[in-house]
Amino acid sequence: MENTYDVIIAGCGAAGLYHAINLPRNTRILLLCKQELTLCNSALAQGGIAGVYQPDGDTTDDCTDLHVQDTLIAGGFKNNNEAVQLLVDNAKFEIGTLLELGADFDRTPDGKFHRTLEGGHSRHRIFHHKDSTGAEILNTLIRKVKTLSNVTIMENTMMVNLKKSSTGFSVQLLHNGNLSSAHCHFMTICTGGIGRIYEFTTNSKIATGDGIAMAYGIGAKIKNLHLIQFHPTAFNNHHTRECFLISEAVRGEGAYLLNCNKERFMQLYDERLELAPRDVVSRSIVLESRRTGSSDFFLDISYKDSEFIKNRFPMIYESVLEQGYDITKEPIPIFPCQHYLMGGINVDRKSETSEPNLFACGECSHTGVHGNNRLASNSLLEALVFSRQAALAISERLHTCTQDFEEVQFPEKENPQPMPKGFRTEIRHIMQESCFVIPDSAKILEGFERIREIRKQLLNGNYIIDSNYIEACSLATVGYLILKEVI
Ligand SMILES: Cc1cc2nc3c(=O)[nH]c(=O)nc-3n(C[C@H](O)[C@H](O)[C@H](O)COP(=O)(O)OP(=O)(O)OC[C@H]3O[C@@H](n4cnc5c(N)ncnc54)[C@H](O)[C@@H]3O)c2cc1C
């Protein structure tokens, strides 16, 4: 196998694929995917992609200033203004590119784009493909990447170690139980979120924060990892770790939130009611559960026309029906759970980290666009806008690289042992108990000490390098960094 590349991209979600598509065609690229291409958070995105995009003849009263304002309000004005402007200004270009690549977004009967509303947006500006927008975007990007002869895609191949070299970076890979290495001038980390550090999350099982832990390992600055978004309306079946999301767009189309007495309660907490930003709604649910003494909550859209519901939310309708609830006829049980990471590997406007030629894009990165709380449907947009910025930055530097590669070695372990069971479960439990919607400071202190011990044991122990061990190391490092920030 060839093992030297201009760019290695770890991660094949929206960020990684779009980054590869935007690099020049003479760039030799290796795209790594931990499992299969369709297993990632991008594939799960339901609601859509936000943006002010008005092709000819299509008019709305929306404008980029309003999108900026909504993003800042949702983020509690803790956003990076320059990054927000870049995000919003580029929406038109990236959504246009998706359409050129063949993405199919819903239209109204007169042929105009159907834009939906979600919490925190003052205008209908969410482009969507029914309720499975992420899968539509991901499949569009996969189709394109597969036509590119300069891109080598390696599925079921995990980045397990990352080192700096004098000519760029060396990456240790795990494929079918075998370890190998590859080397590059530019490294782009697009490994997604950290949801699997919680007991309950909407995230895909790949979301273990590997890229963040490895970037930290080579000295990249990590920022605001404690800024975690808890989505207020995950389907609550009380036992599945990966919780099925009931999209914000359902509230956008008029669904009510009900407490254990099947009464609306948001008026007690925020005048924006069900369409308040996510952090406000999740917090209101937790406070209401304390007030009523019950964690039973429901989402109800059954008063709307059932054909409308089935056509607008076919995937949600089918999935919830499989769990025994008919969303067109009755309220369905929901509760907040981990959903998104606002912090991550700190990057500048070009998505470059504090380590030269190391880039990070998508959910693993911290661009500053989201502030304290991400506005719905801004993250797919962020993944596209900033991964293209990274591609532009790399394109400008490619000519400076020689054909030489220093191949840093990854020493073999002698007689390694299987990792003891239980670490991952313990970390998840600590995070769920200490750092959920309203953090518990006593539990945070205790949890931090224990996760620090676990991390030390994992990093110093002579354990077999397999995906279980690497993911446990990632969870321990990410948990350690989150709790360290909030202590
Ligand atoms: C249920 C759900 C609904 C959502 N709905 C919306 C929405 O409507 N609108 C919106 O804007 N956002 C939404 N989001 C958020 C959005 O989907 C994500 O933030 C975004 O897709 C992240 O893209 P990404 O490319 O950064 O990561 P991902 O799409 O998660 O991709 C990560 C990639 O990294 C790879 N990877 C991870 N670790 C390694 C490793 N060690 N080695 C090699 N490869 C690795 C994985 O295999 C995967 O290919 C939603 C998220 C969820 C979970």
Side-chain angles (χ1 to χ4, degrees):
M1 180 194 105
E2 179 156 13
N3 75 342
T4 58
Y5 296 87
D6 296 316
V7 186
I8 296 180
I9 304 171
C12 290
L17 294 170
Y18 199 65
H19 183 54
I21 290 169
N22 280 286
L23 281 162
R25 294 289 172 263
N26 61 353
T27 320
R28 290 163 47 258
I29 302 169
L30 175 63
L31 250 179
L32 301 171
C33 186
K34 182 151 75 168
Q35 297 193 26
E36 58 269 32
L37 283 174
T38 49
L39 195 74
C40 57
N41 279 357
S42 298
L44 297 175
Q46 299 176 354
I49 178 164
V52 180
Y53 170 69
Q54 292 152 320
D56 288 350
D58 192 355
T59 51
T60 69
D61 63 346
D62 201 4
C63 64
T64 50
D65 284 352
L66 284 174
H67 191 182
V68 167
Q69 186 182 310
D70 293 344
T71 303
L72 297 178
I73 292 173
F77 294 93
K78 299 290 181 196
N79 323 55
N80 178 308
N81 290 353
E82 212 188 308
V84 173
Q85 197 67 52
L86 187 69
L87 176 89
V88 165
D89 287 347
N90 280 284
K92 182 177 164 190
F93 184 88
E94 317 304 355
I95 293 174
T97 304
L98 287 177
L99 292 166
E100 271 170 29
L101 292 174
D104 174 24
F105 293 143
D106 286 11
R107 293 182 186 253
T108 55
D110 61 3
K112 292 182 178 164
F113 287 105
H114 178 262
R115 300 171 178 83
T116 195
L117 188 66
E118 292 187 303
H121 286 275
S122 60
R123 294 290 184 280
H124 284 71
R125 67 166 73 94
I126 321 293
F127 291 77
H128 65 100
H129 176 93
K130 299 206 181 287
D131 54 355
S132 50
T133 311
E136 176 64 17
I137 292 176
L138 191 77
N139 288 327
T140 302
L141 298 177
I142 291 173
R143 271 198 310 274
K144 177 66 186 175
V145 164
K146 284 191 168 171
T147 66
L148 303 179
S149 57
N150 61 318
V151 181
T152 304
I153 304 174
M154 289 186 71
E155 280 182 89
N156 299 305
T157 306
M158 185 177 190
M159 169 170 78
V160 294
N161 203 347
L162 174 65
K163 287 186 177 178
K164 287 190 274 191
S165 74
S166 57
T167 55
F169 301 89
S170 291
V171 181
Q172 189 176 34
L173 308 175
L174 178 68
H175 177 74
N176 281 342
N178 299 316
L179 290 168
S180 62
S181 58
H183 314 273
C184 58
H185 295 306
F186 300 93
M187 177 77 211
T188 306
I189 300 180
C190 303
T191 47
I194 56 146
R196 291 304 174 123
I197 202 173
Y198 278 86
E199 283 177 339
F200 301 103
T201 175
T202 59
N203 285 196
S204 148
K205 63 181 175 183
I206 56 89
T208 49
D210 302 351
I212 297 172
M214 288 177 215
Y216 176 71
I218 60 166
K221 186 174 173 200
I222 310 295
K223 195 164 174 192
N224 284 343
L225 269 201
H226 69 286
L227 294 180
I228 295 164
Q229 183 168 77
F230 299 95
H231 198 291
T233 60
F235 183 73
N236 186 11
N237 66 7
H238 298 284
H239 59 264
T240 317
R241 182 168 319 138
E242 187 171 325
C243 303
F244 178 71
L245 180 76
I246 311 296
S247 168
E248 184 119 5
V250 180
R251 275 176 291 133
E253 297 291 353
Y256 299 137
L257 280 167
L258 307 176
N259 63 16
C260 58
N261 304 316
K262 304 268 173 78
E263 290 165 351
R264 287 180 77 185
F265 60 91
M266 277 305 296
Q267 70 283 1
L268 300 178
Y269 302 98
D270 196 283
E271 61 186 14
R272 291 165 289 184
L273 306 176
E274 279 83 357
L275 288 179
R278 288 176 184 172
D279 56 341
V280 175
V281 180
S282 289
R283 200 180 160 82
S284 306
I285 291 177
V286 170
L287 292 175
E288 180 69 359
S289 75
R290 290 180 185 173
R291 192 180 76 85
T292 59
S294 167
S295 58
D296 289 343
F297 286 85
F298 304 88
L299 188 70
D300 189 9
I301 195 169
S302 61
Y303 72 94
K304 290 248 172 180
D305 175 65
S306 68
E307 282 314 304
F308 164 78
I309 298 172
K310 285 185 205 166
N311 186 47
R312 177 68 185 81
F313 302 111
M315 203 245 300
I316 294 175
Y317 170 74
E318 287 297 336
S319 303
V320 172
L321 201 59
E322 275 170 27
Q323 305 270 339
Y325 290 87
D326 185 341
I327 191 172
T328 67
K329 297 201 173 103
E330 60 196 323
I332 53 169
I334 53 92
F335 201 70
C337 75
Q338 194 284 345
H339 182 55
Y340 183 78
L341 175 68
M342 270 80 66
I345 309 166
N346 199 44
V347 295
D348 62 16
R349 301 297 81 79
K350 293 175 175 170
S351 282
E352 190 166 14
T353 70
S354 58
E355 292 297 314
N357 297 336
L358 176 68
F359 292 78
C361 312
E363 195 168 337
C364 67
S365 68
H366 172 269
T367 60
V369 293
H370 306 302
N372 281 355
N373 175 55
R374 169 176 71 97
L375 181 65
S377 287
N378 264 354
S379 53
L380 283 169
L381 181 61
E382 181 197 36
L384 302 185
V385 168
F386 286 86
S387 66
R388 187 165 66 85
Q389 296 303 314
L392 293 173
I394 293 175
S395 322
E396 283 170 11
R397 285 182 218 169
L398 273 171
H399 70 279
T400 61
C401 302
T402 65
Q403 285 311 304
D404 301 329
F405 289 90
E406 185 201 357
E407 302 193 0
V408 175
Q409 299 306 306
F410 296 92
E412 267 183 44
K413 293 186 174 188
E414 272 182 39
N415 194 25
Q417 301 299 305
M419 177 183 74
K421 288 197 168 82
F423 287 135
R424 296 175 67 151
T425 310
E426 196 179 347
I427 293 169
R428 282 195 294 267
H429 186 66
I430 291 172
M431 294 306 296
Q432 188 76 33
E433 290 293 308
S434 66
C435 219
F436 189 46
V437 175
I438 301 177
D440 180 325
S441 38
K443 287 185 179 163
I444 285 175
L445 200 59
E446 198 185 308
F448 174 70
E449 294 303 337
R450 179 59 190 143
I451 290 187
R452 182 159 65 174
E453 263 171 46
I454 293 175
R455 179 167 183 263
K456 210 161 147 191
Q457 187 175 341
L458 286 171
L459 297 184
N460 297 337
N462 186 27
Y463 299 126
I464 294 168
I465 298 180
D466 56 17
S467 58
N468 192 27
Y469 168 65
I470 296 299
E471 290 186 348
C473 291
S474 303
L475 295 180
T477 297
V478 169
Y480 165 79
L481 292 172
I482 293 172
L483 297 185
K484 195 169 158 204
E485 281 182 11
V486 290
I487 266 176

